[in-house]
Amino acid sequence: MRADRVDFQKNRLLIFLFLILLSVSLIVALGLGHNLVRRQVQSEFNSLKVDVLESTMSSYEAFFQQSIPEISYYQGFLDSLSASRYADTVLKKYPFVETVTFYDSYVSDRNINHGIAVRNLGIGIKSIYKFGKRIPLDSIVIYDSKKPGRLSLSNADEFNNIGLKLAAFIESADTTKNVSNEVVFKIFYNITSNRISYMNVPRRQEISAFQDIMNNREKKPPVYELDLFSFELNPHKLKVTNRHPNLYQNITIEELSSGNIFDNPHYLNTSMPLPGAFSAYKLYFTSSKLFLEKEVNRRFLPIAFGVFFIYAIMIIITFLIYRNFRMSRKLFKLQYDFVNNLTHEFKTPVSVIKIAGNNIRSAHDLSLAELQHYGKILDEEADKLNELMNKLLSFTQIENKTIHIKEVEIELEEFSQNIINGYELKYPDYKIDLDVKRSVKTFLSDPVLLTSIYQNLIENAYKYSNPNLKYLKITVSKKKKNIVFSFKDKGIGIEKKEINNIFKKFYRIESQYNQQGSIGLGLAFCKELVNLMKGDITVNSKIGTGSEFIVELPYISK
């Protein structure tokens, strides 16, 4: 086995192993990528619930930090009408607020009807109003100190809780400093489950006056107004904003004691407790594994495309490397065959010349016929060597673009017939017919180059024909702006798979008709000549029937 074939098989094996490794790497990369995306989705399922909580509680935060503190702007002077307007605004803006209870209260000495009293300080209730979407207008007033009726413990309880905190604060308050936010939240807010109560924050002068009343420093203290609001909240009316619908299939608000409402192995669930007045509830997130798998596949798809794209690039590179190996091997084979054939082509005439020379030198007496015979042999073999050298030299000149076309007016019928006559003398069994159409008689071209095209195509037609079918028909015609030369034989034909290769340098079709040597330059030389003359050459062929070579050249005339 030749060394080049062994090397080629080794390289092909390496490429095959590389493809296997590349395919395994692709599968591993896809598996790892899919697993990483799945973990990322599961991690986001557990972590991005904070975003949903923040967006869901945004309205509650706005209510707590903006709407409730607004009560203090009125400095305790809200009446039933202004309190009703304020309550209507809150109820419309925040659907989770079910009812708003307004306590119209005041601070004075301990002589109060309903409220709490600490030493001389009294915090009393003048009236209580309850507003809500489902509360009829005639039921808004639930207590009025000027009318007969008793204050229920349920209504007084919320007032008493925050009133006691206010009294304790007044007892020890530092009136030289403003009330801090921490104190405001601790004293003037009362946050319980589903309820927030808020009393307007008195000014420093009022707090100082409250201390004087508590310590009996004023004999006839004035009455100071206070407003207390209690908001009843419904967590189920919070607007749940699902900012990640690709992760959370279902989000509900449930009580903390409800446990896992979806105890199903086919579902993933997580929860997040609600803050503030809704601390007894939680946001509960659930998604089926199939739902999350769709998200995994959606995210994994670009990664898979990227991996496949890289894999495709690697396959293309591998293919190019393999093709380069094949081309290198083919080139090596062509060069190897070229050297062998060229050696044979040179060796044969050289051997014949040497034999003829030895015969002449060793002969003592040669007749005139023998001298003519040996002279003819030497002349023919020298012509073969000269033709071969000229073809190689011409090919090199064409490739290096050192040949210049000489435009000479050619009488096509005379030109063609002269070449045909020469071949019929050379090959007596060769029948060549010529048909030059009337539409074309003369042609401006390089006669040397055109002769080379004729010679190569006529020689090929003879060489690749059966002994009893040495026939060729040459037709010259005009087609639009081109002149067309057709060389149609009755030879062995060319297989379709070889059609694209026959014009390549050093390419030889393996058959019984070229066993005696061919360097694969004839048709390649024709192709280069035609291209140089800005024309085109094509072939139509059928196995066992024959071939037709068609040369089209730009028609130029005087």
Side-chain angles (χ1 to χ4, degrees):
M1 184 180 292
R2 289 207 318 247
D4 66 299
R5 184 172 181 82
V6 174
D7 290 339
F8 177 75
Q9 288 182 349
K10 287 181 179 178
N11 291 327
R12 186 165 59 182
L13 178 60
L14 288 174
I15 291 174
F16 179 71
L17 293 175
F18 176 74
L19 287 175
I20 293 177
L21 179 62
L22 195 63
S23 300
V24 172
S25 301
L26 171 70
I27 295 171
V28 172
L30 291 175
L32 289 175
H34 195 273
N35 191 42
L36 287 174
V37 172
R38 181 184 287 111
R39 290 185 180 181
Q40 181 188 24
V41 169
Q42 290 177 351
S43 175
E44 290 182 2
F45 179 83
N46 291 316
S47 62
L48 293 181
K49 58 187 178 182
V50 177
D51 290 347
V52 178
L53 177 66
E54 289 177 353
S55 56
T56 301
M57 298 302 295
S58 60
S59 59
Y60 171 81
E61 293 296 329
F63 165 70
F64 188 83
Q65 296 179 13
Q66 298 173 18
S67 295
I68 292 180
E70 185 182 332
I71 296 169
S72 290
Y73 298 158
Y74 300 99
Q75 294 298 321
F77 289 98
L78 284 169
D79 56 16
S80 61
L81 181 60
S82 55
S84 175
R85 292 173 182 170
Y86 169 79
D88 287 343
T89 302
V90 170
L91 291 170
K92 289 178 181 178
K93 191 173 183 180
Y94 306 105
F96 56 85
V97 179
E98 294 251 293
T99 62
V100 180
T101 304
F102 168 56
Y103 295 84
D104 187 8
S105 54
Y106 63 94
V107 176
S108 185
D109 60 8
R110 59 184 302 122
N111 297 320
I112 56 175
N113 295 327
H114 293 285
I116 60 173
V118 179
R119 295 206 296 270
N120 294 317
L121 181 70
I123 305 174
I125 301 175
K126 289 190 289 184
S127 57
I128 302 176
Y129 303 88
K130 193 170 186 178
F131 308 97
K133 294 179 180 179
R134 298 182 180 180
I135 298 176
L137 294 177
D138 57 356
S139 302
I140 291 176
V141 181
I142 58 177
Y143 171 73
D144 189 347
S145 61
K146 296 179 181 180
K147 295 180 180 181
R150 300 180 62 182
L151 180 63
S152 66
L153 291 177
S154 61
N155 291 323
D157 186 56
E158 195 66 22
F159 177 83
N160 292 337
N161 287 335
I162 201 166
L164 288 172
K165 290 197 293 182
L166 175 63
F169 166 72
I170 292 172
E171 188 177 24
S172 59
D174 184 357
T175 58
T176 63
K177 298 179 180 179
N178 289 325
V179 181
S180 65
N181 290 331
E182 183 180 357
V183 172
V184 169
F185 184 77
K186 182 179 180 181
I187 303 300
F188 297 94
Y189 280 93
N190 187 43
I191 300 175
T192 58
S193 180
N194 299 339
R195 183 176 292 277
I196 298 176
S197 297
Y198 177 79
M199 178 178 284
N200 70 281
V201 182
R203 292 170 292 186
R204 281 192 297 171
Q205 298 89 336
E206 293 173 337
I207 295 173
S208 179
F210 294 166
Q211 287 180 337
D212 291 340
I213 295 173
M214 182 178 286
N215 296 321
N216 199 19
R217 294 173 185 166
E218 293 189 14
K219 295 181 180 179
K220 293 183 179 180
V223 176
Y224 295 89
E225 297 291 334
L226 279 179
D227 292 330
L228 173 64
F229 281 84
S230 182
F231 304 91
E232 184 183 359
L233 311 178
N234 184 353
H236 296 289
K237 291 187 177 181
L238 282 170
K239 183 180 178 180
V240 178
T241 306
N242 187 357
R243 296 182 62 182
H244 303 282
N246 56 320
L247 294 175
Y248 304 116
Q249 190 176 9
N250 188 36
I251 305 176
T252 56
I253 297 175
E254 306 292 338
E255 293 185 9
L256 286 175
S257 58
S258 64
N260 292 340
I261 58 175
F262 282 100
D263 189 12
N264 191 322
H266 299 295
Y267 281 80
L268 289 180
N269 57 76
T270 186
S271 61
M272 193 80 179
L274 298 178
F278 301 134
S279 58
Y281 295 84
K282 63 183 176 182
L283 275 178
Y284 197 77
F285 306 82
T286 59
S287 295
S288 69
K289 292 182 178 179
L290 182 61
F291 177 81
L292 290 178
E293 193 64 25
K294 291 180 180 178
E295 174 64 13
V296 171
N297 293 334
R298 186 187 68 82
R299 295 190 186 187
F300 177 68
L301 194 60
I303 298 175
F305 275 129
V307 172
F308 275 112
F309 180 73
I310 296 173
Y311 180 76
I313 291 176
M314 297 300 293
I315 289 294
I316 292 172
I317 293 174
T318 304
F319 170 74
L320 293 176
I321 293 173
Y322 177 71
R323 190 181 68 170
N324 186 55
F325 281 142
R326 285 181 58 87
M327 291 177 65
S328 297
R329 179 174 178 268
K330 186 179 291 186
L331 181 60
F332 179 85
K333 184 177 182 300
L334 289 174
Q335 291 174 340
Y336 179 83
D337 292 342
F338 170 71
V339 172
N340 284 342
N341 296 330
L342 189 63
T343 302
H344 183 272
E345 288 288 310
F346 273 101
K347 188 176 181 180
T348 301
V350 168
S351 299
V352 173
I353 290 172
K354 187 174 182 180
I355 292 171
N358 287 335
N359 289 341
I360 294 172
R361 186 179 59 182
S362 60
H364 296 289
D365 188 16
L366 291 175
S367 65
L368 180 61
E370 289 175 327
L371 286 173
Q372 289 178 345
H373 174 69
Y374 286 124
K376 182 181 178 182
I377 291 174
L378 292 173
D379 186 58
E380 289 177 352
E381 298 304 322
D383 285 343
K384 288 181 180 179
L385 287 175
N386 185 56
E387 182 183 351
L388 184 59
M389 292 302 298
N390 285 337
K391 187 175 289 186
L392 289 172
L393 180 61
S394 298
F395 212 116
T396 303
Q397 289 175 335
I398 291 173
E399 287 186 330
N400 294 331
K401 297 182 179 179
T402 58
I403 291 182
H404 301 286
I405 300 176
K406 298 178 182 179
E407 292 185 355
V408 178
E409 187 174 16
I410 300 172
E411 293 287 342
L412 286 170
E413 187 165 0
E414 180 183 352
F415 172 83
S416 302
Q417 193 61 54
N418 288 337
I419 297 175
I420 292 171
N421 292 338
Y423 273 95
E424 287 181 339
L425 286 174
K426 184 178 179 180
Y427 303 119
D429 59 338
Y430 200 3
K431 174 63 175 174
I432 304 176
D433 288 336
L434 175 63
D435 181 13
V436 179
K437 302 298 183 182
R438 291 184 178 181
S439 59
V440 54
K441 291 183 178 181
T442 60
F443 173 54
L444 283 178
S445 185
D446 191 315
V448 176
L449 301 184
L450 191 58
T451 299
S452 296
I453 294 173
Y454 265 76
Q455 288 174 344
N456 280 282
L457 295 177
I458 292 173
E459 191 74 40
N460 264 19
Y462 181 83
K463 185 176 181 180
Y464 293 99
S465 295
N466 292 312
N468 56 341
L469 286 174
K470 302 293 186 179
Y471 175 80
L472 178 66
K473 182 176 181 179
I474 301 175
T475 304
V476 183
S477 60
K478 187 179 177 184
K479 179 182 178 182
K480 294 183 180 179
K481 295 183 179 181
N482 292 334
I483 185 169
V484 180
F485 300 87
S486 170
F487 299 80
K488 188 172 184 179
D489 61 44
K490 295 182 180 180
I492 61 174
I494 304 169
E495 293 184 32
K496 286 186 178 180
K497 65 179 181 179
E498 302 286 2
I499 293 292
N500 294 327
N501 297 320
I502 59 175
F503 294 108
K504 295 179 180 178
K505 282 191 300 184
F506 311 132
Y507 187 84
R508 298 165 62 244
I509 300 175
E510 298 296 335
S511 72
Q512 60 177 340
Y513 294 90
N514 59 12
Q515 296 301 311
Q516 295 182 355
S518 171
I519 58 174
L521 283 179
L523 291 177
F525 184 56
C526 280
K527 178 73 172 176
E528 292 295 331
L529 286 176
V530 171
N531 289 342
L532 181 66
M533 298 167 75
K534 298 181 180 179
D536 188 29
I537 181 170
T538 56
V539 59
N540 299 316
S541 185
K542 187 175 180 181
I543 293 293
T545 301
S547 303
E548 180 183 14
F549 287 85
I550 301 171
V551 176
E552 291 191 31
L553 299 175
Y555 178 72
I556 303 173
S557 62
K558 283 188 176 181

